[in-house]
Amino acid sequence: MTDLTPLPMAEARIKLSHLEENIRHIRQWTGKKLRIMGIVKANAYGHGVHRVAETLESVGVSDFGVANIQEAVALRTGGALKKPAAILAFSSPLEPQIDGYLQHDIEMTVCSFDILRAAGEKAAAYGKKLAVQVKVDTGMGRLGLQPAETMELLRNINRSPDIELKGIYTHFAEGSKPGGYTGRQLEEFRNLVTQYESESGTTICKHAASSGAILCRKDAWFDMVRPGILLYGYLPDPCMPAPIAVTPVMQMEARVIFIKTVAPGTSVSYNRTWRAAESRSIATVAAGYADGYPRALSNKGRVVINGKSCPQVGTVTMDQIMIDLGKEHDVKTGDKAILFGWEGPTADDIAGSIGSISYEVLCSVSNRVVRIFI
């Protein structure tokens, strides 16, 4: 029977063996006793949350971090997780969202007295305890109360029969820089959790280290670490020294759909930002900024076709980019161009060309790019 499935024009090839290798290197670095929370927010940084979570679970990860309740419910109900798993939603919830945490056993971030009060009332009505983690602002300035207010929030949690405290965490503003500001944040966090555990007579899961601090602040590891970009094969800062090696998990590819020879002086693409200095072969590749190839990369990028690095020329358009193949080439329509990945430019290379970061490049790969898991 003829396969009528359309041939993908652009693909994000997700190499799950690279993901397994990256988590293995992280675990070797941090030690087997430390819990690892796999950060799978934003569709696992664009890689496909369900297959990524399934793979992480298969190598022993049972804690997952997502952005909000919508992502948490999608992960919980998506069928990827086969074992009991803790899912923490990092966003501070709105009151109408609390029901979702109770219905789907999601750990809720609490950093507000009003939300804590509402959560206790909802949990009592459901007849079940609501699992929460408390976020403390030690200097990120995004979510969380100051340490003194957080201590009072923790006391209120301990007085609530319907709330179960699962952890206390913070987030570093400069996690890839081991000294200075990170050190001050770490000291504030350590003082708070020490005070809480001494006053309450209990120990609690404490975590602060995302990818940067995993690499450069062993004293920030506490009970659990939260690798994000490291899982997907990149350093949080490409210039930082790395004690472990990681490999990109995603390779973005798109097909050559047209080739032509242009005469000297011929302009290519919108606004005529590039002109051929001499006769050249130009390939049109079926990916553009709607697929996640940044428009800011116009006349700056390079792709790999049949093992050869070729410059992108002209303005990046919504659906296509143009590539200078030179005077002689072996490229034909249907061949694949590697836009970034383990065999071509990396997401760091692209990010460096446009003043961005690898996180944004990966997360920008759109849903119309077919994910192929290999």
Side-chain angles (χ1 to χ4, degrees):
M1 186 173 179
T2 303
D3 184 3
L4 299 179
T5 304
L7 186 69
M9 302 300 276
E11 305 172 351
R13 300 176 69 81
I14 312 300
K15 200 159 190 176
L16 296 174
S17 61
H18 286 182
L19 178 65
E20 293 173 349
E21 183 180 349
N22 292 341
I23 191 70
R24 183 166 60 250
H25 289 167
I26 293 167
R27 183 170 279 124
Q28 287 172 349
W29 173 243
T30 59
K32 294 182 179 180
K33 293 183 179 179
L34 208 64
R35 287 166 61 183
I36 293 178
M37 176 184 285
I39 304 304
V40 294
K41 61 184 179 175
N43 195 28
Y45 288 41
H47 291 68
V49 64
H50 298 299
R51 291 299 299 273
V52 166
E54 179 182 54
T55 302
L56 292 177
E57 184 182 63
S58 74
V59 294
V61 174
S62 58
D63 292 273
F64 296 89
V66 297
N68 52 47
I69 185 60
Q70 289 88 353
E71 289 188 350
V73 171
L75 177 57
R76 178 70 80 200
T77 61
L81 300 178
K82 305 299 191 294
K83 304 172 186 177
I87 302 174
L88 172 64
F90 291 124
S91 292
S92 181
L94 300 173
E95 187 173 331
Q97 296 174 325
I98 295 172
D99 298 80
Y101 290 86
L102 287 156
Q103 292 168 1
H104 297 281
D105 295 318
I106 307 300
E107 293 184 5
M108 188 175 82
T109 291
V110 172
C111 48
S112 157
F113 288 95
D114 289 340
I115 286 295
L116 177 60
R117 189 177 309 109
E121 294 171 357
K122 293 266 191 181
Y126 271 80
K128 63 185 292 188
K129 285 196 172 187
L130 174 61
V132 304
Q133 295 207 33
V134 168
K135 173 74 176 288
V136 53
D137 181 13
T138 57
M140 177 66 175
R142 187 168 59 180
L143 292 176
L145 298 172
Q146 297 296 309
E149 294 176 289
T150 300
M151 191 63 211
E152 186 57 35
L153 187 70
L154 289 164
R155 294 185 183 111
N156 285 7
I157 289 173
N158 284 346
R159 290 192 290 265
S160 174
D162 303 298
I163 303 295
E164 181 180 6
L165 182 65
K166 291 287 190 176
I168 306 173
Y169 72 100
T170 195
H171 194 88
F172 296 130
E174 296 180 331
S176 300
K177 300 177 181 179
Y181 197 74
T182 300
R184 293 196 292 275
Q185 282 192 259
L186 181 58
E187 183 179 6
E188 288 215 6
F189 184 66
R190 186 181 290 111
N191 289 342
L192 171 72
V193 295
T194 298
Q195 180 185 356
Y196 171 75
E197 291 184 336
S198 175
E199 184 176 304
S200 66
T202 61
T203 57
I204 192 70
C205 178
K206 305 167 286 294
H207 51 105
S210 53
S211 293
I214 289 171
L215 296 175
C216 66
R217 291 279 330 206
K218 288 188 175 183
D219 55 347
W221 289 356
F222 294 101
D223 305 305
M224 182 163 66
V225 293
R226 308 188 304 256
I229 197 68
L230 272 181
L231 291 177
Y232 307 107
Y234 292 93
L235 304 180
D237 180 344
C239 297
M240 72 183 299
I244 61 174
V246 290
T247 306
V249 176
M250 178 191 291
Q251 181 152 289
M252 187 175 176
E253 304 175 354
R255 294 186 184 274
V256 175
I257 58 172
F258 187 71
I259 301 171
K260 65 181 176 183
T261 300
V262 299
T266 302
S267 62
V268 169
S269 196
Y270 292 120
N271 302 316
R272 308 183 69 202
T273 60
W274 183 88
R275 291 177 176 82
E278 55 186 339
S279 177
R280 315 294 287 176
S281 290
I282 302 295
T284 300
V285 172
Y289 60 76
D291 302 284
Y293 194 81
R295 188 175 184 274
L297 210 57
S298 299
N299 296 304
K300 297 177 182 178
R302 301 189 72 87
V303 306
V304 171
I305 307 177
N306 297 344
K308 180 183 177 181
S309 176
C310 304
Q312 179 276 323
V313 294
T315 301
V316 172
T317 72
M318 182 181 290
D319 310 303
Q320 291 147 15
I321 56 174
M322 278 59 75
I323 306 300
D324 180 1
L325 300 178
K327 288 187 175 182
E328 297 183 2
H329 64 87
D330 63 354
V331 179
K332 59 186 182 299
T333 58
D335 286 349
K336 289 183 177 180
I338 300 170
L339 277 56
F340 67 83
W342 57 85
E343 294 178 317
T346 66
D348 276 334
D349 293 330
I350 288 180
S353 297
I354 61 174
S356 185
I357 55 176
S358 60
Y359 304 69
E360 184 177 23
V361 173
L362 297 172
C363 290
S364 295
V365 177
S366 73
N367 288 334
R368 81 174 184 182
V369 177
V370 178
R371 269 61 174 179
I372 307 291
F373 296 93
I374 57 176

